Coordinates of all heavy atoms in Angstrom, one line a residue:
M1 N 93.2 84.7 92.6 CA 94.5 84.2 92.4 C 95.0 83.4 93.6 O 94.9 83.8 94.7 CB 95.5 85.3 92.1 CG 96.4 85.0 90.8 SD 97.0 86.5 90.1 CE 95.6 86.9 89.0
E2 N 95.6 82.3 93.4 CA 96.1 81.4 94.5 C 97.3 82.0 95.2 O 98.0 82.8 94.6 CB 96.4 80.0 94.0 CG 97.9 79.8 93.5 CD 98.1 79.3 92.1 OE1 97.6 79.9 91.2 OE2 98.8 78.3 92.0
A3 N 97.5 81.6 96.5 CA 98.7 82.1 97.2 C 99.8 81.1 96.9 O 99.6 79.9 96.9 CB 98.4 82.1 98.7
R4 N 101.0 81.7 96.6 CA 102.1 80.9 96.4 C 103.3 81.3 97.3 O 103.4 82.4 97.7 CB 102.7 81.0 95.0 CG 101.9 80.2 94.0 CD 102.7 80.1 92.7 NE 101.8 80.2 91.6 CZ 102.2 80.2 90.3 NH1 103.5 80.3 90.1 NH2 101.4 80.3 89.3
N5 N 104.1 80.3 97.7 CA 105.2 80.6 98.5 C 106.5 80.7 97.7 O 106.7 79.9 96.7 CB 105.4 79.6 99.6 CG 104.3 79.7 100.6 OD1 103.7 80.7 100.8 ND2 104.1 78.6 101.4
C6 N 107.4 81.6 98.0 CA 108.7 81.7 97.3 C 109.7 80.7 98.0 O 109.3 80.1 99.0 CB 109.2 83.2 97.3 SG 109.7 83.7 99.0
F7 N 110.9 80.8 97.6 CA 111.9 79.8 98.2 C 112.2 80.1 99.6 O 112.7 79.2 100.4 CB 113.2 79.9 97.3 CG 113.0 79.5 95.9 CD1 113.4 80.3 94.9 CD2 112.3 78.4 95.5 CE1 113.2 80.0 93.6 CE2 112.0 78.0 94.2 CZ 112.6 78.9 93.2
C8 N 111.9 81.3 100.1 CA 112.1 81.6 101.5 C 111.0 81.0 102.4 O 111.1 81.0 103.6 CB 112.1 83.1 101.8 SG 112.8 84.2 100.6
G9 N 109.9 80.6 101.8 CA 108.8 80.1 102.5 C 107.8 81.1 102.9 O 106.8 80.8 103.5
H10 N 108.0 82.4 102.4 CA 107.0 83.4 102.7 C 106.0 83.4 101.4 O 106.3 82.9 100.4 CB 107.7 84.8 102.7 CG 108.6 84.8 103.9 ND1 108.2 84.8 105.2 CD2 110.0 85.0 103.9 CE1 109.2 84.9 106.0 NE2 110.3 85.0 105.3
Q11 N 104.9 84.1 101.7 CA 104.0 84.2 100.6 C 104.5 85.2 99.5 O 104.9 86.3 99.9 CB 102.7 84.8 101.1 CG 101.5 84.6 100.1 CD 100.1 84.9 100.8 OE1 99.8 84.6 101.9 NE2 99.3 85.6 100.0
A12 N 104.5 84.7 98.3 CA 105.1 85.5 97.2 C 104.1 86.6 96.9 O 102.9 86.5 97.1 CB 105.3 84.7 96.0
I13 N 104.6 87.8 96.5 CA 103.8 88.9 96.1 C 103.5 88.9 94.6 O 104.3 88.3 93.8 CB 104.4 90.2 96.6 CG1 105.8 90.4 96.0 CG2 104.3 90.4 98.1 CD1 106.3 91.9 96.2
I14 N 102.5 89.6 94.2 CA 102.2 89.7 92.8 C 102.6 91.0 92.2 O 102.2 92.0 92.8 CB 100.7 89.4 92.5 CG1 100.4 87.9 92.9 CG2 100.3 89.6 91.1 CD1 98.9 87.6 92.9
R15 N 103.3 91.0 91.2 CA 103.7 92.3 90.5 C 103.3 92.2 89.1 O 102.9 91.1 88.5 CB 105.2 92.5 90.6 CG 105.8 92.9 91.9 CD 107.2 93.2 91.8 NE 107.8 93.5 93.1 CZ 107.6 94.6 93.8 NH1 107.0 95.6 93.3 NH2 108.1 94.8 95.0
T16 N 103.3 93.3 88.4 CA 102.9 93.4 87.0 C 104.1 93.7 86.1 O 104.9 94.6 86.4 CB 101.8 94.5 86.8 OG1 100.7 94.2 87.7 CG2 101.3 94.5 85.3
S17 N 104.3 92.9 85.1 CA 105.4 93.1 84.2 C 105.0 94.2 83.2 O 103.9 94.3 82.8 CB 105.6 91.8 83.5 OG 106.3 92.0 82.3
W18 N 106.0 95.0 82.9 CA 105.8 96.0 81.8 C 106.8 96.0 80.8 O 107.2 96.9 80.2 CB 105.7 97.5 82.4 CG 104.6 97.7 83.3 CD1 104.6 97.9 84.6 CD2 103.2 97.6 83.0 NE1 103.3 98.0 85.1 CE2 102.4 97.9 84.1 CE3 102.5 97.5 81.7 CZ2 101.0 97.9 84.1 CZ3 101.1 97.5 81.7 CH2 100.4 97.7 82.9
T19 N 107.3 94.7 80.6 CA 108.3 94.5 79.4 C 107.5 94.4 78.1 O 106.3 94.2 78.1 CB 109.1 93.2 79.6 OG1 108.1 92.2 79.7 CG2 109.9 93.3 81.0
Q20 N 108.2 94.6 77.1 CA 107.7 94.6 75.7 C 107.1 93.3 75.4 O 106.0 93.2 74.8 CB 108.8 94.9 74.7 CG 108.3 95.5 73.3 CD 107.9 96.9 73.5 OE1 108.2 97.6 74.4 NE2 107.2 97.4 72.5
A21 N 107.7 92.2 75.9 CA 107.2 90.9 75.6 C 106.0 90.5 76.5 O 105.1 89.7 76.1 CB 108.3 89.9 75.9
N22 N 105.9 91.1 77.7 CA 104.8 90.7 78.6 C 104.1 91.8 79.3 O 104.1 91.9 80.4 CB 105.3 89.7 79.7 CG 105.8 88.4 79.1 OD1 104.9 87.6 78.7 ND2 107.1 88.2 79.0
P23 N 103.6 92.8 78.5 CA 103.0 94.0 79.1 C 101.8 93.7 79.9 O 100.9 93.1 79.3 CB 102.7 94.9 77.8 CG 102.6 94.0 76.7 CD 103.5 92.8 77.0
G24 N 101.8 94.1 81.1 CA 100.5 94.0 81.9 C 100.4 92.5 82.5 O 99.3 92.3 83.2
R25 N 101.3 91.6 82.2 CA 101.1 90.3 82.7 C 101.6 90.1 84.1 O 102.7 90.7 84.4 CB 101.9 89.4 81.8 CG 101.7 87.8 82.0 CD 102.5 87.0 81.1 NE 102.3 85.6 81.3 CZ 103.2 84.7 80.8 NH1 104.1 85.1 80.0 NH2 103.0 83.4 81.0
R26 N 100.8 89.6 85.0 CA 101.2 89.5 86.4 C 102.1 88.3 86.7 O 101.9 87.2 86.1 CB 100.0 89.6 87.3 CG 99.4 91.0 87.3 CD 98.1 91.1 88.2 NE 97.1 90.4 87.6 CZ 95.8 90.4 88.1 NH1 95.6 91.0 89.2 NH2 94.9 89.7 87.5
F27 N 102.9 88.5 87.7 CA 103.9 87.4 88.0 C 104.1 87.4 89.6 O 103.9 88.4 90.2 CB 105.2 87.4 87.3 CG 106.0 88.7 87.6 CD1 106.9 88.8 88.6 CD2 105.8 89.8 86.8 CE1 107.6 89.9 88.8 CE2 106.5 91.0 87.1 CZ 107.4 91.1 88.1
Y28 N 104.4 86.2 90.1 CA 104.8 86.1 91.5 C 106.3 86.3 91.7 O 107.1 85.8 90.9 CB 104.5 84.7 92.1 CG 103.0 84.4 92.1 CD1 102.3 83.7 91.0 CD2 102.3 84.7 93.2 CE1 101.0 83.4 91.1 CE2 100.9 84.4 93.3 CZ 100.3 83.8 92.2 OH 99.0 83.5 92.3
C29 N 106.7 87.0 92.8 CA 108.1 87.1 93.1 C 108.3 87.2 94.5 O 107.3 87.3 95.3 CB 108.7 88.2 92.3 SG 108.1 89.8 92.9
C30 N 109.5 87.1 95.0 CA 109.8 87.2 96.4 C 109.4 88.5 97.0 O 109.5 89.6 96.4 CB 111.3 87.0 96.6 SG 111.9 86.9 98.3
A31 N 108.8 88.5 98.2 CA 108.3 89.7 98.9 C 109.3 90.5 99.6 O 109.2 91.7 99.9 CB 107.2 89.3 99.8
R32 N 110.6 89.9 99.8 CA 111.6 90.6 100.5 C 112.2 91.7 99.6 O 112.2 91.6 98.4 CB 112.7 89.6 100.9 CG 112.2 88.6 101.8 CD 113.3 87.5 102.0 NE 114.3 88.0 102.9 CZ 115.2 87.1 103.4 NH1 115.2 85.9 103.1 NH2 116.2 87.6 104.2
T33 N 112.7 92.7 100.2 CA 113.3 93.9 99.5 C 114.8 93.7 99.3 O 115.4 94.2 98.4 CB 112.9 95.2 100.1 OG1 113.1 95.2 101.4 CG2 111.5 95.6 99.8
V34 N 115.4 93.0 100.4 CA 116.8 92.7 100.3 C 117.0 91.2 100.4 O 116.1 90.5 100.9 CB 117.6 93.3 101.5 CG1 117.7 94.9 101.2 CG2 116.9 93.1 102.8
Q35 N 118.1 90.7 99.7 CA 118.3 89.3 99.7 C 117.2 88.5 99.2 O 116.7 87.5 99.9 CB 118.8 88.8 101.1 CG 120.1 89.3 101.5 CD 120.6 88.8 102.9 OE1 119.8 88.8 103.8 NE2 121.8 88.3 103.0
K36 N 116.6 88.9 98.1 CA 115.5 88.1 97.5 C 116.0 86.7 97.1 O 117.2 86.6 96.8 CB 115.1 88.9 96.2 CG 114.4 90.2 96.5 CD 114.0 90.9 95.2 CE 113.5 92.2 95.5 NZ 112.6 92.8 94.4
C37 N 115.1 85.8 97.1 CA 115.5 84.4 96.8 C 115.5 84.2 95.3 O 116.0 83.2 94.8 CB 114.6 83.5 97.5 SG 112.8 83.6 97.0
G38 N 114.9 85.1 94.6 CA 114.9 85.0 93.1 C 113.7 84.2 92.6 O 113.7 83.8 91.4
Y39 N 112.8 83.9 93.4 CA 111.6 83.2 93.0 C 110.8 83.9 91.9 O 110.7 85.2 92.0 CB 110.7 82.9 94.2 CG 109.4 82.2 93.8 CD1 109.4 80.8 93.6 CD2 108.2 82.9 93.5 CE1 108.2 80.1 93.2 CE2 107.0 82.3 93.2 CZ 107.1 80.9 93.0 OH 105.9 80.3 92.6
F40 N 110.4 83.2 90.9 CA 109.7 83.9 89.9 C 108.7 82.9 89.2 O 109.0 81.7 89.0 CB 110.6 84.4 88.7 CG 109.9 85.1 87.6 CD1 109.7 86.4 87.6 CD2 109.5 84.3 86.5 CE1 109.0 87.0 86.6 CE2 108.8 84.9 85.4 CZ 108.6 86.3 85.5
G41 N 107.5 83.3 89.1 CA 106.5 82.4 88.5 C 105.3 83.2 87.9 O 104.8 84.2 88.5
W42 N 105.0 83.0 86.6 CA 103.9 83.8 86.0 C 102.5 83.5 86.7 O 102.3 82.3 87.1 CB 103.7 83.4 84.6 CG 104.9 84.0 83.7 CD1 105.8 83.3 83.0 CD2 105.1 85.4 83.5 NE1 106.6 84.1 82.4 CE2 106.3 85.4 82.6 CE3 104.6 86.6 83.9 CZ2 106.8 86.6 82.2 CZ3 105.2 87.8 83.5 CH2 106.2 87.8 82.7
A43 N 101.8 84.5 87.0 CA 100.5 84.3 87.6 C 99.4 84.2 86.6 O 98.3 83.7 86.9 CB 100.2 85.5 88.5
E44 N 99.7 84.5 85.4 CA 98.7 84.5 84.3 C 99.3 83.9 83.0 O 100.5 84.0 82.8 CB 98.3 86.0 84.0 CG 97.6 86.6 85.1 CD 97.3 88.1 84.9 OE1 98.2 88.8 84.4 OE2 96.3 88.6 85.1
P45 N 98.5 83.3 82.2 CA 99.0 82.8 80.9 C 99.6 83.8 80.1 O 99.2 85.0 80.2 CB 97.8 82.0 80.3 CG 96.6 82.7 81.0 CD 97.0 83.1 82.4
Q46 N 100.3 83.5 79.1 CA 100.9 84.4 78.2 C 99.8 85.2 77.4 O 98.7 84.7 77.1 CB 101.7 83.7 77.1 CG 102.6 84.6 76.3 CD 103.7 83.9 75.6 OE1 103.6 82.7 75.4 NE2 104.8 84.6 75.2
L47 N 100.1 86.5 77.2 CA 99.1 87.3 76.5 C 99.0 86.8 75.1 O 99.9 86.4 74.5 CB 99.6 88.8 76.5 CG 99.7 89.5 77.9 CD1 100.6 90.7 77.8 CD2 98.4 89.8 78.3
C48 N 97.8 87.1 74.6 CA 97.6 86.7 73.1 C 98.3 87.7 72.3 O 98.6 88.9 72.7 CB 96.1 86.7 72.8 SG 95.3 88.2 72.8
A49 N 98.6 87.4 71.1 CA 99.3 88.3 70.1 C 98.7 89.6 70.0 O 99.4 90.6 69.9 CB 99.4 87.5 68.8
R50 N 97.3 89.6 70.0 CA 96.6 90.9 69.8 C 96.9 91.8 71.0 O 97.2 93.0 70.8 CB 95.1 90.6 69.7 CG 94.3 91.8 69.4 CD 94.3 92.2 67.9 NE 93.6 93.4 67.7 CZ 94.0 94.5 67.1 NH1 95.3 94.5 66.7 NH2 93.3 95.6 67.0
A51 N 96.9 91.3 72.2 CA 97.1 92.1 73.4 C 98.6 92.7 73.4 O 98.8 93.8 73.7 CB 96.9 91.3 74.6
M52 N 99.5 91.8 72.9 CA 100.9 92.3 72.9 C 101.1 93.3 71.9 O 102.0 94.1 71.9 CB 101.8 91.0 72.6 CG 102.1 90.2 73.8 SD 102.8 88.6 73.4 CE 104.4 89.1 72.9
E53 N 100.2 93.4 70.9 CA 100.3 94.4 69.8 C 99.8 95.7 70.3 O 100.3 96.7 70.0 CB 99.4 93.8 68.6 CG 99.8 94.3 67.3 CD 98.9 93.7 66.3 OE1 98.9 92.4 66.2 OE2 98.1 94.4 65.6
I54 N 98.6 95.6 71.1 CA 97.9 96.8 71.5 C 98.5 97.5 72.7 O 98.6 98.6 72.8 CB 96.4 96.4 71.7 CG1 95.7 96.1 70.5 CG2 95.7 97.6 72.4 CD1 94.4 95.5 70.6
I55 N 98.8 96.7 73.8 CA 99.2 97.2 75.1 C 100.4 98.1 75.0 O 100.4 99.3 75.6 CB 99.3 96.1 76.1 CG1 97.9 95.5 76.4 CG2 99.9 96.7 77.5 CD1 97.9 94.4 77.3
P56 N 101.5 97.8 74.3 CA 102.6 98.7 74.3 C 102.3 100.1 73.7 O 102.7 101.1 74.2 CB 103.7 98.0 73.5 CG 103.3 96.5 73.6 CD 101.8 96.5 73.7
G57 N 101.4 100.1 72.8 CA 100.9 101.4 72.1 C 100.1 102.2 73.1 O 100.3 103.4 73.2
L58 N 99.3 101.5 73.9 CA 98.5 102.2 74.9 C 99.4 102.8 76.0 O 99.2 103.9 76.4 CB 97.5 101.2 75.6 CG 96.3 100.7 74.7 CD1 95.5 99.7 75.5 CD2 95.4 101.9 74.3
L59 N 100.4 102.0 76.3 CA 101.3 102.5 77.4 C 102.1 103.8 76.8 O 102.3 104.7 77.6 CB 102.4 101.4 77.6 CG 102.0 100.3 78.6 CD1 103.1 99.3 78.7 CD2 101.7 101.0 80.0
N60 N 102.5 103.7 75.6 CA 103.2 104.8 75.0 C 102.2 106.1 75.0 O 102.7 107.2 75.4 CB 103.5 104.6 73.6 CG 104.9 103.9 73.4 OD1 105.7 104.0 74.4 ND2 105.2 103.4 72.3
N61 N 101.0 105.9 74.6 CA 100.0 107.0 74.7 C 99.9 107.5 76.1 O 99.9 108.8 76.2 CB 98.7 106.5 74.2 CG 98.6 106.2 72.7 OD1 99.6 106.6 72.0 ND2 97.6 105.6 72.2
M62 N 99.8 106.7 77.0 CA 99.6 107.1 78.4 C 100.8 107.9 79.0 O 100.6 108.9 79.5 CB 99.4 105.9 79.3 CG 98.7 106.1 80.6 SD 98.5 104.5 81.5 CE 100.1 104.1 81.9
N63 N 102.0 107.4 78.5 CA 103.2 108.1 78.9 C 103.3 109.5 78.3 O 103.7 110.5 78.9 CB 104.5 107.3 78.6 CG 104.6 106.1 79.5 OD1 104.0 106.0 80.6 ND2 105.3 105.1 79.1
N64 N 102.9 109.5 77.0 CA 102.9 110.8 76.3 C 101.9 111.8 77.0 O 102.2 113.0 77.1 CB 102.5 110.7 74.8 CG 103.6 110.0 74.1 OD1 104.8 109.9 74.5 ND2 103.3 109.4 72.9
L65 N 100.8 111.3 77.3 CA 99.7 112.2 78.0 C 100.2 112.7 79.3 O 100.1 113.8 79.6 CB 98.4 111.4 78.1 CG 97.6 111.2 76.9 CD1 96.4 110.2 77.2 CD2 97.0 112.5 76.4
R66 N 100.9 111.8 80.0 CA 101.5 112.1 81.3 C 102.4 113.3 81.1 O 102.5 114.2 81.9 CB 102.1 111.0 82.0 CG 101.2 110.1 82.7 CD 101.8 109.4 83.9 NE 100.9 108.5 84.5 CZ 101.1 107.2 84.6 NH1 102.2 106.7 84.1 NH2 100.2 106.4 85.1
A67 N 103.3 113.1 80.2 CA 104.4 114.1 79.9 C 103.8 115.4 79.6 O 104.2 116.5 80.1 CB 105.3 113.6 78.8
S68 N 102.7 115.4 78.7 CA 102.2 116.7 78.3 C 101.4 117.3 79.5 O 101.4 118.6 79.6 CB 101.4 116.7 77.1 OG 100.6 115.5 77.0
A69 N 100.8 116.5 80.3 CA 100.1 117.0 81.5 C 101.1 117.7 82.4 O 100.8 118.8 83.0 CB 99.4 115.8 82.2
R70 N 102.3 117.1 82.6 CA 103.3 117.6 83.5 C 103.8 118.9 82.9 O 104.0 119.9 83.6 CB 104.4 116.6 83.5 CG 105.2 116.7 84.9 CD 106.3 115.6 85.0 NE 105.7 114.3 84.8 CZ 106.2 113.4 84.0 NH1 107.3 113.7 83.3 NH2 105.7 112.2 83.8
E71 N 103.9 119.0 81.6 CA 104.4 120.2 80.9 C 103.4 121.3 81.2 O 103.8 122.5 81.4 CB 104.5 120.0 79.4 CG 105.8 120.4 78.8 CD 105.9 119.8 77.4 OE1 105.2 120.4 76.5 OE2 106.5 118.8 77.2
M72 N 102.1 121.0 81.0 CA 101.1 122.0 81.2 C 101.1 122.5 82.6 O 100.9 123.7 82.9 CB 99.7 121.5 80.9 CG 99.4 121.5 79.4 SD 97.7 121.2 79.0 CE 97.8 119.5 78.8
Q73 N 101.2 121.6 83.6 CA 101.3 122.0 85.0 C 102.5 122.9 85.3 O 102.3 123.9 86.0 CB 101.5 120.7 85.9 CG 100.2 120.1 86.3 CD 100.4 118.8 87.0 OE1 101.5 118.2 87.1 NE2 99.4 118.3 87.6
I74 N 103.6 122.7 84.7 CA 104.8 123.5 84.8 C 104.5 124.9 84.2 O 104.7 126.0 84.9 CB 106.0 122.9 84.2 CG1 106.5 121.7 84.9 CG2 107.2 123.9 84.1 CD1 107.4 120.8 84.2
K75 N 103.9 125.0 83.0 CA 103.5 126.2 82.4 C 102.5 127.0 83.2 O 102.7 128.2 83.4 CB 102.9 125.9 81.0 CG 103.9 125.8 79.9 CD 103.3 125.6 78.6 CE 104.3 125.2 77.6 NZ 103.6 124.4 76.4
F76 N 101.5 126.3 83.8 CA 100.5 126.9 84.6 C 101.1 127.5 85.8 O 100.9 128.6 86.2 CB 99.4 125.9 84.9 CG 98.3 126.5 85.7 CD1 97.4 127.3 85.1 CD2 98.2 126.2 87.1 CE1 96.3 127.9 85.9 CE2 97.2 126.9 87.8 CZ 96.2 127.6 87.2
A77 N 102.0 126.7 86.5 CA 102.7 127.1 87.7 C 103.5 128.4 87.5 O 103.5 129.3 88.2 CB 103.6 126.0 88.3
N78 N 104.2 128.4 86.3 CA 105.0 129.6 86.0 C 104.2 130.8 85.7 O 104.5 131.9 86.1 CB 105.9 129.2 84.8 CG 107.0 128.3 85.1 OD1 107.3 128.1 86.3 ND2 107.6 127.6 84.1
S79 N 103.1 130.6 84.9 CA 102.3 131.8 84.5 C 101.5 132.4 85.7 O 101.3 133.6 85.8 CB 101.4 131.4 83.4 OG 100.4 130.4 83.8
S80 N 101.1 131.5 86.6 CA 100.4 132.0 87.8 C 101.2 132.7 88.8 O 100.7 133.4 89.7 CB 99.6 130.9 88.4 OG 100.5 129.9 88.9
S81 N 102.5 132.6 88.7 CA 103.4 133.2 89.7 C 103.6 134.8 89.3 O 104.3 135.4 90.1 CB 104.8 132.5 89.8 OG 105.4 132.5 88.6
Y82 N 103.2 135.2 88.2 CA 103.4 136.6 87.8 C 102.5 137.5 88.6 O 101.3 137.1 88.9 CB 103.2 136.8 86.3 CG 104.3 136.2 85.5 CD1 104.2 135.2 84.6 CD2 105.6 136.8 85.6 CE1 105.2 134.6 83.9 CE2 106.7 136.3 84.8 CZ 106.4 135.2 84.0 OH 107.5 134.7 83.3
Ligands
ZN101 ZN1 111.8 84.7 98.8

């Protein structure tokens, strides 16, 4: 992926979008944590319709699995303290 500069003149960082419309699509933005310049640019072309259909479902599944794993950890932690 090419290096891009934001409006501050610094090298822009790449982040991943997790919005419903662009799940998993990477974009460039300002690397600063305060007083960001607001630079924004997609690093990848728009996802195909099929990916947009599949990825949100996969994300949901992953979140559900994480939630039940956390629940099991809590149960286990509680039961082992007896
Ligand atoms: Zn900037």
Side-chain angles (χ1 to χ4, degrees):
M1 225 158 270
E2 90 232 58
R4 278 201 218 170
N5 289 341
C6 69
F7 301 128
C8 323
H10 297 296
Q11 194 172 319
I13 53 165
I14 294 171
R15 287 188 185 278
T16 303
S17 159
W18 293 115
T19 60
Q20 203 75 15
N22 292 289
R25 190 178 176 194
R26 286 181 290 184
F27 60 93
Y28 291 95
C29 65
C30 184
R32 296 171 77 168
T33 49
V34 287
Q35 290 183 313
K36 293 180 184 197
C37 63
Y39 178 81
F40 180 90
W42 289 115
E44 294 171 318
Q46 193 164 21
L47 294 163
C48 68
R50 184 79 185 124
M52 278 166 72
E53 204 178 301
I54 291 169
I55 295 174
L58 290 175
L59 278 176
N60 272 344
N61 288 347
M62 202 174 71
N63 289 338
N64 290 343
L65 284 173
R66 277 212 186 116
S68 40
R70 210 174 305 129
E71 232 169 78
M72 277 194 271
Q73 273 177 344
I74 292 165
K75 275 183 195 156
F76 181 76
N78 288 342
S79 66
S80 61
S81 63
Y82 287 114

